[in-house]
């Protein structure tokens, strides 16, 4: 055997050994364990892993945390590309097991016509955290707050929205934190919402210009922190709760 053939054989043996190492270095674990490992990754890393691993590709369809913004998806892209990427991610997601949805479109002056359909798909029973940040005023559809959603959601953050909760909207049984920034909501609408959020512990209001008076219902016995900033038309805060608040 000549020298060239010997070298080629050694390279082939090394490749074969390397292939075995790659094949057996990844343990054979139950799918639920792979899903749990995948869920602990930051979203960008989770998406990359799904491109490289069949196990992670399956778990990507039920990844529990989706953070959809320019930073995680396409920091150098235009709003059209961002919209396309978000649409593709949500279409590839099963909608099952989603716990956290952060949809941050507030960093660019643009409209996103598919927000309604994105929320209708992603905001489902079992979700615990919903963060929606937009650049232009958006009419938040209360229809996405179904009975199942209201039973599971713990943290609601809305930014630059029109939010008109009605008296027909049922109770939020697990909601502990609510942050409304640049949200168009009246004092009466907010009081109605608060009276149905008995577990609420923290309330933040920033630049909510339609609120002229704020009434904290007596049923909010868990509320311990109230933050009000730049609500320029707010004239009075009436607290009927027996628990002392940190302002």
């Amino acid at each position: 055997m000549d020298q060239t053939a010997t070298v080629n054989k050694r390279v082939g043996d090394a490749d074969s050994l390397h292939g075995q190492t790659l094949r057996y270095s990844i343990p054979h674990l139950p799918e639920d364990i792979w899903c749990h490992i995948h869920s602990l990754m930051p979203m960008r890393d989770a998406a990359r892993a799904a491109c490289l691993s069949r196990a992670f590709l399956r778990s990507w369809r039920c990844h529990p945390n989706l953070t959809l913004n320019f930073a995680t998806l396409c920091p150098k892209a235009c709003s059209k590309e961002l919209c396309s990427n978000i649409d593709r991610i949500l279409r590839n997601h099963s909608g099952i097991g989603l716990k956290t949805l952060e949809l941050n479109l507030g960093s660019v002056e643009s409209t996103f016509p598919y927000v309604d359909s994105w929320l209708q798909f992603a905001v489902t029973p079992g979700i615990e955290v919903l963060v929606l940040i937009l650049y232009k005023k958006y009419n938040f559809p209360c229809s996405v707050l179904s009975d199942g959603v209201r039973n599971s959601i713990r943290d609601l953050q809305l930014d630059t929205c029109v939010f008109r909760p009605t008296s027909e909207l049922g109770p939020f049984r697990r909601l502990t934190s609510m942050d409304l920034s640049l949200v168009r909501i009246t004092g009466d609408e907010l009081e109605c919402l608060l009276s149905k959020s008995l577990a609420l512990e923290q309330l933040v209001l920033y630049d909510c210009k339609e609120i002229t008076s704020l009434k904290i219902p007596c049923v909010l016995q868990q509320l311990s922190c109230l933050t009000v900033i730049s609500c320029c038309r707010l004239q009075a805060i009436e607290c009927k709760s027996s628990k002392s608040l940190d302002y």
Side-chain angles (χ1 to χ4, degrees):
M1 182 180 296
D2 60 21
Q3 185 176 2
T4 301
T6 301
V7 171
N8 287 338
K9 183 177 184 302
R10 289 174 178 173
V11 171
D13 290 343
D15 287 344
S16 176
L17 178 61
H18 182 59
Q20 290 181 352
T21 301
L22 290 177
R23 186 179 305 159
Y24 296 111
S25 62
I26 299 177
H28 295 284
L29 299 175
E31 188 170 348
D32 58 340
I33 295 181
W34 282 120
C35 289
H36 178 67
I37 294 172
H38 200 202
S39 71
L40 299 177
M41 297 181 182
M43 204 196 76
R44 182 183 291 183
D45 294 338
R48 288 172 176 169
C51 295
L52 301 173
S53 164
R54 290 181 181 178
F56 285 148
L57 179 60
R58 289 192 297 269
S59 66
W60 173 251
R61 290 182 54 78
C62 55
H63 196 271
N65 305 309
L66 294 181
T67 301
L68 307 176
N69 54 42
F70 270 100
T72 58
L73 297 181
C74 45
K76 297 182 180 180
C78 65
S79 59
K80 185 177 181 180
E81 290 176 275
L82 176 63
C83 183
S84 176
N85 288 341
I86 292 175
D87 202 54
R88 186 181 305 111
I89 287 173
L90 291 179
R91 280 191 287 106
N92 288 331
H93 198 283
S94 66
I96 299 173
L98 188 59
K99 299 296 185 183
T100 300
L101 174 65
E102 180 180 333
L103 187 57
N104 186 342
L105 309 175
S107 59
V108 61
E109 186 177 355
S110 180
T111 57
F112 293 85
Y114 306 114
V115 174
D116 276 357
S117 61
W118 292 340
L119 293 179
Q120 292 289 347
F121 173 81
V123 182
T124 56
I127 195 165
E128 297 179 359
V129 179
L130 173 60
V131 181
L132 179 62
I133 302 173
L134 300 171
Y135 181 85
K136 294 186 177 181
K137 285 286 188 247
Y138 167 71
N139 287 300
F140 181 81
C142 290
S143 59
V144 303
L145 300 174
S146 65
D147 290 343
V149 170
R150 296 196 308 274
N151 286 340
S152 63
I153 194 165
R154 296 183 296 102
D155 188 350
L156 176 63
Q157 300 178 42
L158 301 179
D159 190 316
T160 317
C161 295
V162 178
F163 187 28
R164 302 295 187 196
T166 64
S167 57
E168 289 76 21
L169 195 63
F172 291 78
R173 292 183 172 85
R174 297 186 62 196
L175 187 66
T176 59
S177 178
M178 183 162 56
D179 188 326
L180 305 179
S181 298
L182 294 163
V183 170
R184 293 179 59 182
I185 183 172
T186 66
D188 290 340
E189 291 167 338
L190 180 57
E191 182 182 5
C192 179
L193 180 62
L194 293 177
S195 67
K196 299 177 181 181
S197 307
L198 304 187
L200 194 66
E201 299 174 3
Q202 178 175 316
L203 174 63
V204 177
L205 303 173
Y206 173 76
D207 203 6
C208 298
K209 291 184 170 62
E210 290 190 7
I211 300 177
T212 57
S213 64
L214 174 60
K215 296 180 180 180
I216 306 298
C218 61
V219 293
L220 292 189
Q221 296 302 312
Q222 303 302 317
L223 186 66
S224 59
C225 183
L226 171 64
T227 303
V228 180
I229 302 173
S230 299
C231 296
C232 57
R233 297 181 181 177
L234 180 61
Q235 299 178 356
I237 298 177
E238 180 182 348
C239 181
K240 298 180 180 179
S241 173
S242 60
K243 187 171 183 176
S244 59
L245 291 177
D246 292 330
Y247 291 93

